[in-house]
């Protein structure tokens, strides 16, 4: 079986073509992610609703609703494998994702719109779920956030990840403004149980939070993650998000035979 080792802004995944196969995805996720220390596992399957079906699992074997950086990578996988053209649709547990190829290693995806938004779920910590059932995010501003602060923030991030205010648990997205259109985002991810180099849905949830607070009037945001820069665009009217787009790299590190 060929396993593609891919990453989107440092968020890394083990990816397989599961069409026509009966596989234990949970066990595969744990086994394959241990090979490289990857954040997640993705299996591309057949779909009667889209070009392909995405089964997404975290490194600990837990199933995820979808993944933003992973969705860009699965779009590249689908294009490179001939499963879809330069525009593609992907069925996920959270809903249909639309993708578009911009270059060999760059894609843009239309993420699921938020199904739950609470800007003050826990004080100044916002809660956003993208899709239905949604990917859960706790979004919190940390003034003058730097990567060197990760360890001192770890306990707080871990506590938020398991906080009862977020019944499904949450990916914790800590952000700080760098300029009027750029934020730095540090993410502690559910299912990885550690910081990751980037979080696409987390950057998207941060953009949604800022847009709904009236702090992103143009709807465009650059999110500096430790693994690279992601571009977000929020579209909406009267406080309702109608479109959320995520643009960034989708890279193939290597292909394993296992």
């Amino acid at each position: 079986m060929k396993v593609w080792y891919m990453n989107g802004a440092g968020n890394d995944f083990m990816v397989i073509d599961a069409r026509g196969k009966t596989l234990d995805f949970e066990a595969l996720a744990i086994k394959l992610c241990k090979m490289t220390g990857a954040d997640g596992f993705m299996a591309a399957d057949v779909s009667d609703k889209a070009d392909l079906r995405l089964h997404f699992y975290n490194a600990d074997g837990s199933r995820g609703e979808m993944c933003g950086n992973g969705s860009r990578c699965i779009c590249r996988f689908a294009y490179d494998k001939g499963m879809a053209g330069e525009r593609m649709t992907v069925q996920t547990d959270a809903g249909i994702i639309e993708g578009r190829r911009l270059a060999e290693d760059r894609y843009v995806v239309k993420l699921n719109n938020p199904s739950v938004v609470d800007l003050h779920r826990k004080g100044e910590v916002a809660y956003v779920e993208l899709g239905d059932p949604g990917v859960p995010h706790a979004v919190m501003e940390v003034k003058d956030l730097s990567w060197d602060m990760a360890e001192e923030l770890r306990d707080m991030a871990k506590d938020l990840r398991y906080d009862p205010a977020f019944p499904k648990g949450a990916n914790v997205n800590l952000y700080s403004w760098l300029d009027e259109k750029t934020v730095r985002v540090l993410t502690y991810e559910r299912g990885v149980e550690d910081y990751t180099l980037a979080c696409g849905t987390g950057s998207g949830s941060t953009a949604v939070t800022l847009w709904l607070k009236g702090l992103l009037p143009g709807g465009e945001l650059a999110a500096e993650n430790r693994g690279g820069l992601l571009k977000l665009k929020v579209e909406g009217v009267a406080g309702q998000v109608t479109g959320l787009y995520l643009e960034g790299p989708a890279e193939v590190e290597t292909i394993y035979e296992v």
Side-chain angles (χ1 to χ4, degrees):
M1 179 174 62
K2 285 184 167 51
V3 182
W4 291 37
Y5 180 41
M6 306 183 71
N7 88 81
N11 205 186
D12 55 350
F13 312 96
M14 303 297 273
V15 188
I16 66 167
D17 183 349
R19 291 176 296 174
K21 299 180 176 70
T22 300
L23 300 166
D24 184 340
F25 293 144
E26 180 179 338
L28 270 176
I30 295 170
K31 175 184 175 181
L32 295 179
C33 288
K34 282 182 179 177
M35 285 177 54
T36 58
D39 299 323
F41 163 81
M42 298 190 292
D45 206 349
V46 295
S47 170
D48 59 1
K49 299 179 180 178
D51 291 316
L52 66 148
R53 176 73 163 95
L54 169 62
H55 302 285
F56 179 81
Y57 286 78
N58 296 301
D60 65 358
S62 61
R63 189 173 179 104
E65 296 85 355
M66 62 84 65
C67 174
N69 290 320
S71 65
R72 288 198 320 281
C73 288
I74 206 69
C75 284
R76 175 172 180 180
F77 183 80
Y79 178 83
D80 288 357
K81 294 276 288 182
M83 300 168 68
E86 294 201 348
R87 290 180 178 270
M88 61 282 292
T89 53
V90 182
Q91 180 187 356
T92 76
D93 289 2
I96 300 291
I97 298 293
E98 299 173 9
R100 180 163 58 93
R101 183 178 188 261
L102 302 177
E104 180 183 14
D105 60 354
R106 194 164 188 84
Y107 282 73
V108 60
V109 291
K110 185 178 187 293
L111 298 175
N112 308 109
N113 290 335
S115 58
V116 179
V117 177
D118 184 346
L119 296 180
H120 301 283
R121 173 61 64 91
K122 184 178 174 64
E124 291 304 307
V125 181
Y127 180 69
V128 178
E129 288 191 20
L130 296 184
D132 187 13
V135 185
H137 298 275
V139 180
M140 176 182 176
E141 182 175 9
V142 174
K143 298 289 187 181
D144 302 318
L145 175 66
S146 70
W147 306 134
D148 292 339
M149 295 168 62
E151 287 311 309
E152 67 182 84
L153 294 170
R154 179 179 291 276
D155 288 345
M156 181 191 71
K158 187 174 181 179
D159 287 346
L160 278 176
R161 179 263 182 265
Y162 288 103
D163 195 286
F166 316 117
K168 294 170 60 172
N171 297 303
V172 179
N173 309 113
L174 309 175
Y175 75 91
S176 180
W177 287 100
L178 298 181
D179 60 44
E180 60 182 12
K181 289 187 177 182
T182 308
V183 293
R184 175 172 290 145
V185 180
L186 176 65
T187 299
Y188 189 94
E189 285 207 35
R190 179 188 68 152
V192 178
E193 308 310 331
D194 203 350
Y195 292 116
T196 56
L197 293 180
C199 181
T201 53
S203 296
S205 295
T206 301
V208 166
T209 298
L210 298 176
W211 185 79
L212 289 172
K213 286 185 174 183
L215 301 175
L216 202 65
E220 295 186 358
L221 181 72
E224 180 190 271
N225 289 257
R226 283 197 293 181
L229 192 71
L230 298 172
K231 294 183 179 180
L232 292 304
K233 182 173 178 58
V234 183
E235 295 178 344
V237 60
Q240 187 74 29
V241 176
T242 57
L244 177 59
Y245 298 86
L246 171 67
E247 178 185 334
E251 300 175 318
V252 180
E253 297 284 344
T254 191
I255 299 176
Y256 294 99
E257 187 75 46
V258 298

